[in-house]
Amino acid sequence: MNLIEASNITKDYSLGTQTVEALRGVTFGIEQGEFIAIMGPSGSGKSTLMNIIGCLDSPTTGTYHLNQQEVSTLSGDELAGIRNKEIGFVFQTFHLLARNSALDNVMLPLKYAGVSKADQVNRAKDKLSQVGLESRMNHQPSELSGGQQQRVAIARALVNNPSILFADEPTGNLDSQTGHEVMQLFHNLHKQGQTIILITHENEIAAEAQRTIYIKDGLIESDTRKE
Amino acid sequence: MILQESITTAVDSIRANLLRSLLTTIAIVIGTASVIAMVGIGSSAQRAIDDSITNASARTLVVYPSRGRGTQKISAAPLSISDADALMKDKEINWRIAPEIRGSKSLKYQNESISIQVIGAREDYLSILGYEIDDGNFFTQRDDLARKRYAVLGSSVGAELKTSSKALVGKDIDLGGVTFKVIGVVNSEGSSGWSNPDEQIYIPLFTASDRVFGRDRVDAIRVEVPNTYTPEEAMISIERVLRREHDIGPGEENNFRINDWSQFTDLQKQATAIFSALLIGIAGISLMVGGIGVMNIMLVSVTERTREIGLRKALGATHQAILLQFIIEAVTLCIIGGVIGVIFGSSLYFLVTVFQDWVFTIPFSAILGSVMFSAFVGLFFGIWPARKAAQLEPAVALRYE
């Protein structure tokens, strides 16, 4: 059984009297340990698909199994629990809390998971050293470079040991050198067995993944694997 | 865990927008400050009134002759010195009796001449009114019986004669054409409403009756009631004695009237209560306005932090966790306002007690109550913005620009 089983997923948005079909029946599976890129032009339904795979939204029809659990019918709070435990998000704009230290930012998912304070600190420190930022854990985001901020965000995404690391244009706000460093970090994580889903519009970045799903007009146009 | 995190976040967020937060709480500060100041001032004023009831002047009843009412002609019988003597002889209550004859006379000293309020009284008049002699002596019972032409001055009489009261002790003055010797000065007592004891002159009762006014009709009889009796019990006794003296049959109306000073203190209490109610009303309105202000700023805060809310939700914050975070922020804001208000209100109240020479007693329940009420205002007005925050869709909130 795959880690992710999405079958015949559709998503409609109603804009007043008009209904927009963002996804028109998408079916795919993702295995444990895969490094996959999802590509597509803007307006293709790529973002909608990401929201659904990331459990930020529910499909209109179709089924979505994550870790053999049907999540398309779960309530908002149940989805919050799934996001907390199963999914780690990395965003283009880092999305760090500006007034909190790197350590506090990494601890945030653990706070919502109800982990004890001592465990929060230990696990967050652990992940920060994994991304090479142990020495900067008491710095606020404004005192860190873009690459460092993104590494804090990756540590935060990994702190709850999620099944999937979800990265939405993770290098979009970085120069090519730091972007490359971040991609290297993803490769290392992948080698350790981490499932990674990368959303990108850059062919160069997508090329680093083992498999690329290309979305167009709400449908999967191609699904290719690198040998 | 979530609670602790919410409090930390709330404090951080208030600190981040310190000026805005403090401005928002001004109405809460004013509301709480007025509650505290009012409760404090109210309780001190109450205490001052209560204290004054137990002191001599407040426990003094005053008997006046009745004024005529229309055609009924019940004013015929005036009060006389013999009425005072009858009260003095009555042993049912061990009261003290002070009859007084009052009138206006001209007072001359050297080239100065003024019109002055003359009070003919007995030797214990001063102690019954709670006044004290400042210089020289008050006249004695023997001076009274001897119709001595002795005068005691109020403290500011001398100044009106272009000298000082103390300088006049031992001097002769002319009171309504009769020469008096000044033997003492009364302490400055301050004005008490319609009469000012400092501007009066005191002479022995019999002297006033025989040599100055030529009448034994008195204008008032003061009755000092001992603490062991209530004013009501004393009033019944006074009525019994005077009705007998005035030969009033059963069913007939009194031809005198008794003023109970506690009526005035009751009025004063009522006025204080109305005043407090008014200010507590203002405090209530101001807390309400403050609450709306807090709601407004929380709505702004929710909008400003939409992306943060989206992120927190993406990381696993439940509806309840977000709700709690924003409610706690609103409550914290209001509690801060409440605490500042308590400090301001207590300071204001403290200043008032210093100027009024009152006791500073701030009830702890008032402090706790007003801070709790501010917290409640925060809770009430924080719910709606917090619900707005909690209901944001994570996917939409994350991409909010």
Side-chain angles (χ1 to χ4, degrees):
Chain A
M1 187 85 176
N2 286 330
L3 179 63
I4 286 176
E5 275 297 343
S7 114
N8 225 0
I9 287 179
T10 69
K11 181 70 180 177
D12 298 342
Y13 292 108
S14 56
L15 294 172
T17 51
Q18 247 186 328
T19 301
V20 177
E21 296 178 307
L23 292 176
R24 300 189 290 151
V26 173
T27 303
F28 63 93
I30 295 173
E31 282 171 41
Q32 173 75 45
E34 272 195 280
F35 189 172
I36 180 168
I38 296 177
M39 290 196 72
S42 52
S44 60
K46 178 183 59 168
S47 297
T48 309
L49 180 62
M50 181 202 130
N51 288 344
I52 290 169
I53 306 174
C55 296
L56 291 166
D57 208 347
S58 299
T60 307
T61 63
T63 59
Y64 173 41
H65 288 85
L66 177 66
N67 260 340
Q68 285 144 58
Q69 190 187 1
E70 169 64 293
V71 292
S72 55
T73 56
L74 294 182
S75 72
D77 278 355
E78 286 167 328
L79 285 176
I82 300 273
R83 290 194 296 270
N84 185 250
K85 285 176 187 57
E86 304 288 349
I87 298 163
F89 287 100
V90 176
F91 302 98
Q92 178 175 0
T93 51
F94 320 138
H95 269 307
L96 297 176
L97 297 183
R99 249 171 296 283
N100 293 44
S101 67
L103 185 67
D104 277 333
N105 267 291
V106 177
M107 276 159 57
L108 197 55
L110 298 174
K111 284 176 180 158
Y112 291 119
V115 171
S116 77
K117 182 88 184 173
D119 272 6
Q120 287 179 26
V121 175
N122 287 337
R123 284 166 64 177
K125 277 183 180 172
D126 205 40
K127 292 297 171 191
L128 276 168
S129 62
Q130 201 180 327
V131 298
L133 281 177
E134 202 177 26
S135 60
R136 318 225 63 176
M137 65 183 186
N138 291 320
H139 288 68
Q140 293 199 341
S142 57
E143 300 162 326
L144 299 172
S145 72
Q148 286 172 330
Q149 288 185 55
Q150 193 60 301
R151 282 192 278 158
V152 172
I154 292 167
R156 179 182 64 192
L158 294 172
V159 77
N160 234 349
N161 300 318
S163 310
I164 305 162
L165 179 63
F166 223 107
D168 183 10
E169 306 277 9
T171 59
N173 276 22
L174 301 175
D175 61 65
S176 58
Q177 174 59 29
T178 30
H180 183 72
E181 283 169 23
V182 166
M183 287 312 294
Q184 203 48 54
L185 191 54
F186 282 136
H187 282 297
N188 292 342
L189 291 167
H190 178 226
K191 275 188 202 124
Q192 289 160 32
Q194 179 68 51
T195 311
I196 299 173
I197 300 175
L198 200 63
I199 314 286
T200 186
H201 66 272
E202 289 179 60
N203 286 318
E204 205 182 319
I205 298 291
E208 303 210 24
Q210 297 173 307
R211 175 183 169 195
T212 304
I213 293 178
Y214 196 87
I215 306 278
K216 199 178 176 188
D217 296 334
L219 292 168
I220 293 179
E221 197 182 63
S222 67
D223 187 347
T224 53
R225 263 169 222 273
K226 255 198 316 196
E227 292 310 317
Chain B
M1 189 58 69
I2 293 281
L3 193 72
Q4 199 195 338
E5 159 72 6
S6 302
I7 293 170
T8 323
T9 313
V11 172
D12 277 351
S13 136
I14 289 165
R15 270 219 310 256
N17 294 301
L18 196 60
L19 182 65
R20 187 172 86 180
S21 306
L22 290 183
L23 288 175
T24 304
T25 57
I26 280 180
I28 303 275
V29 170
I30 292 171
T32 323
S34 29
V35 170
I36 292 292
M38 268 318 105
V39 171
I41 290 167
S43 71
S44 283
Q46 198 64 57
R47 184 179 282 221
I49 291 166
D50 290 347
D51 285 352
S52 74
I53 289 168
T54 54
N55 81 26
S57 71
R59 292 199 60 85
T60 302
L61 302 176
V62 188
V63 186
Y64 296 105
S66 262
R67 290 198 198 93
R69 269 194 296 163
T71 54
Q72 280 183 299
K73 299 248 176 198
I74 52 161
S75 67
L79 285 176
S80 65
I81 294 177
S82 66
D83 287 331
D85 291 337
L87 285 168
M88 220 178 286
K89 277 184 207 121
D90 194 87
K91 294 296 176 213
E92 190 174 68
I93 295 178
N94 54 337
W95 51 35
R96 292 203 294 164
I97 304 297
E100 66 180 59
I101 296 178
R102 249 175 207 276
S104 202
K105 286 285 168 191
S106 71
L107 171 62
K108 289 193 192 111
Y109 177 70
Q110 292 175 346
N111 294 328
E112 299 296 327
S113 175
I114 57 168
S115 174
I116 194 162
Q117 186 71 202
V118 182
I119 294 180
R122 281 186 171 147
E123 71 285 353
D124 50 3
Y125 185 80
L126 283 195
S127 78
I128 288 173
L129 270 89
Y131 297 170
E132 276 168 16
I133 202 89
D134 184 26
D135 197 17
N137 297 296
F138 204 66
F139 36 80
T140 62
Q141 189 179 12
R142 296 180 75 161
D143 297 334
D144 186 28
L145 291 171
R147 277 77 170 163
K148 284 271 167 74
R149 288 168 306 184
Y150 284 166
V152 175
L153 304 179
S155 62
S156 61
V157 174
E160 292 182 52
L161 293 167
K162 304 273 190 314
T163 171
S164 78
S165 289
K166 285 190 185 181
L168 286 170
V169 174
K171 301 276 166 42
D172 282 347
I173 52 168
D174 179 299
L175 188 62
V178 184
T179 304
F180 277 77
K181 187 183 181 196
V182 178
I183 60 163
V185 178
V186 177
N187 243 342
S188 175
E189 299 293 342
S191 172
S192 67
W194 52 83
S195 74
N196 185 347
D198 297 343
E199 291 173 357
Q200 294 171 345
I201 183 165
Y202 304 88
I203 61 174
L205 183 71
F206 283 132
T207 312
S209 161
D210 293 354
R211 293 181 185 266
V212 179
F213 294 107
R215 56 173 163 99
D216 71 350
R217 185 165 51 80
V218 298
D219 295 282
I221 302 173
R222 287 169 194 275
V223 180
E224 187 202 52
V225 183
N227 285 338
T228 41
Y229 293 91
T230 66
E232 288 72 23
E233 289 167 337
M235 281 165 102
I236 292 167
S237 277
I238 292 168
E239 279 193 33
R240 177 177 53 75
V241 173
L242 291 184
R243 285 175 76 91
R244 187 186 67 215
E245 288 298 305
H246 290 192
D247 209 12
I248 300 170
E252 289 178 48
E253 273 191 72
N254 290 344
N255 53 12
F256 54 88
R257 62 204 164 86
I258 306 168
N259 262 15
D260 175 3
W261 287 95
S262 66
Q263 287 170 353
F264 289 97
T265 59
D266 281 351
L267 266 176
Q268 214 172 337
K269 278 185 188 177
Q270 267 180 24
T272 313
I274 290 168
F275 188 60
S276 304
L278 195 73
L279 274 144
I280 285 181
I282 291 170
I285 290 168
S286 135
L287 282 172
M288 185 72 92
V289 170
I292 293 166
V294 166
M295 179 162 73
N296 183 40
I297 216 71
M298 289 308 297
L299 286 170
V300 171
S301 179
V302 168
T303 308
E304 281 179 350
R305 287 153 71 193
T306 300
R307 277 156 61 88
E308 177 195 323
I309 295 161
L311 171 79
R312 286 175 182 274
K313 288 199 142 192
L315 298 185
T318 56
H319 183 93
Q320 197 201 350
I322 300 292
L323 195 71
L324 202 63
Q325 179 187 333
F326 282 88
I327 286 179
I328 284 176
E329 190 171 323
V331 169
T332 308
L333 206 55
C334 287
I335 288 178
I336 290 172
V339 170
I340 296 173
V342 166
I343 294 167
F344 269 128
S346 316
S347 314
L348 184 70
Y349 166 46
F350 180 74
L351 284 180
V352 171
T353 58
V354 168
F355 284 119
Q356 293 277 349
D357 204 15
W358 282 344
V359 192
F360 181 85
T361 51
I362 199 130
F364 183 69
S365 60
I367 292 178
L368 193 71
S370 51
V371 174
M372 295 244 296
F373 189 72
S374 319
F376 172 77
V377 167
L379 183 68
F380 184 80
F381 287 99
I383 282 175
W384 187 48
R387 273 175 57 90
K388 266 194 80 168
Q391 283 167 351
L392 285 172
E393 289 293 335
V396 178
L398 265 175
R399 286 176 183 78
Y400 182 84
E401 294 299 333

